[in-house]
Amino acid sequence: MPIPDEVTGHEIDPDVRQELLSLPKTLAEDVARNLVMVARLIDEDPEEAYAYSRIALRLASRVAAVREAAGFAAYATQKYAEALAEFRAARRMTGSAELWPVMADCERGLGRPEKAMAMAGEPEVQKLDKAGQVEMRLVAAGARRDMGQIDAAIVTLQSPELASNAVHPWTPRLRYAYADALLEAGREDEAREWFGKALEADKDGATDASDRLAELDGVEFVDALDEDDEHAEAQAPVAADEDGDDADEDGKPQA
């Protein structure tokens, strides 16, 4: 697959570049450039990112960073079994528990929320940093919801991290998940409050908390393009027959 000339491979994380030093120089550069394309495209064009990840995987399947990138690309395209296999491979290579939450979420994607819940109670969770533990809590709450246990999902999300006024990268998603669970449980006033708190913390627009608040307040959004089309139709001249009489939509003169 073509890669823009300006992509050199030096754009990737230094730790990943360090891993690639085990490869011959030219091969390392090829792998790095494909990994850069994965990172660039994974949000806007996951399928394209996945294609680049497969190339990198074919070139350097014994590099943990490559297996991890392939896992995230597969995850982004909802190929959960493939993603889980790649994450497991990366974890075997590194011994790190960092991928544990996304591995559990793959189990959810495969329709196995009970397995995700079991993973939430494993010792690996204690090895995660704060961000990883919050992510695991989000996955566990999602698994509870998958099983129809909405009240348990709400309790799962109640934590010091949720109660804290400090804002971290994961704060908007945690507050949003809590608000969404409250709404599903029929606790609309509390849900509105927490969607508001999610919005306050969401400076990058990572959630659609503003839209959810508007829905709760009964605000309807009108597509500007649709509105313009309707206006144009209202202003269009009425067709006339050869005698100049107005005609209806079937071309027949109106009475």
Side-chain angles (χ1 to χ4, degrees):
M1 292 181 65
I3 297 176
D5 292 338
E6 66 268 19
V7 175
T8 65
H10 292 282
E11 301 90 341
I12 63 173
D13 186 274
D15 290 339
V16 177
R17 285 196 63 78
Q18 187 68 30
E19 281 193 61
L20 296 179
L21 290 178
S22 62
L23 304 173
K25 186 174 186 297
T26 302
L27 179 58
E29 289 175 354
D30 288 344
V31 173
R33 294 179 74 211
N34 279 283
L35 291 180
V36 170
M37 295 305 295
V38 174
R40 283 189 177 185
L41 295 168
I42 196 164
D43 291 328
E44 62 186 59
D45 192 343
E47 289 291 346
E48 195 81 355
Y50 175 77
Y52 281 106
S53 78
R54 299 306 296 177
I55 295 172
L57 190 60
R58 189 168 66 246
L59 294 173
S61 63
R62 295 186 180 182
V63 176
V66 172
R67 303 302 289 263
E68 183 175 330
F72 277 110
Y75 178 80
T77 53
Q78 300 183 3
K79 297 177 177 67
Y80 296 117
E82 188 175 320
L84 185 56
E86 297 300 343
F87 290 143
R88 284 173 173 166
R91 183 168 177 269
R92 283 195 301 271
M93 292 175 178
T94 64
S96 171
E98 183 180 357
L99 295 170
W100 197 251
V102 71
M103 289 169 63
D105 208 38
C106 285
E107 295 288 1
R108 286 186 60 211
L110 291 168
R112 302 193 292 244
E114 297 87 354
K115 176 63 175 174
M117 280 304 307
M119 291 178 69
E122 294 290 336
E124 282 80 359
V125 177
Q126 303 307 315
K127 301 174 185 176
L128 297 170
D129 61 12
K130 182 62 68 178
Q133 290 181 5
V134 170
E135 197 64 37
M136 192 70 239
R137 191 177 291 276
L138 286 166
V139 173
R144 289 290 190 190
R145 293 181 68 170
D146 293 342
M147 294 186 286
Q149 302 172 3
I150 187 60
D151 290 336
I154 291 171
V155 172
T156 298
L157 292 168
Q158 291 170 343
S159 60
E161 294 80 19
L162 180 68
S164 174
N165 290 323
V167 174
H168 301 277
W170 38 259
T171 301
R173 292 176 56 240
L174 180 60
R175 293 178 179 180
Y176 182 96
Y178 189 58
D180 195 45
L182 289 168
L183 188 60
E184 185 177 334
R187 295 159 63 174
E188 187 172 308
D189 290 341
E190 292 173 87
R192 180 183 284 103
E193 176 189 353
W194 281 96
F195 277 129
K197 290 182 177 182
L199 182 59
E200 287 174 8
D202 192 2
K203 305 304 181 186
D204 299 323
T207 72
D208 64 347
S210 60
D211 292 345
R212 301 298 298 277
L213 273 173
E215 288 174 11
L216 286 172
D217 292 334
V219 176
E220 293 186 11
F221 294 96
V222 177
D223 191 308
L225 292 176
D226 292 342
E227 195 173 55
D228 289 344
D229 290 343
E230 291 173 6
H231 180 71
E233 288 176 8
Q235 297 298 317
V238 179
D241 64 8
E242 292 179 356
D243 297 325
D245 295 325
D246 289 341
D248 66 11
E249 61 184 7
D250 296 319
K252 300 176 182 177
Q254 296 177 339

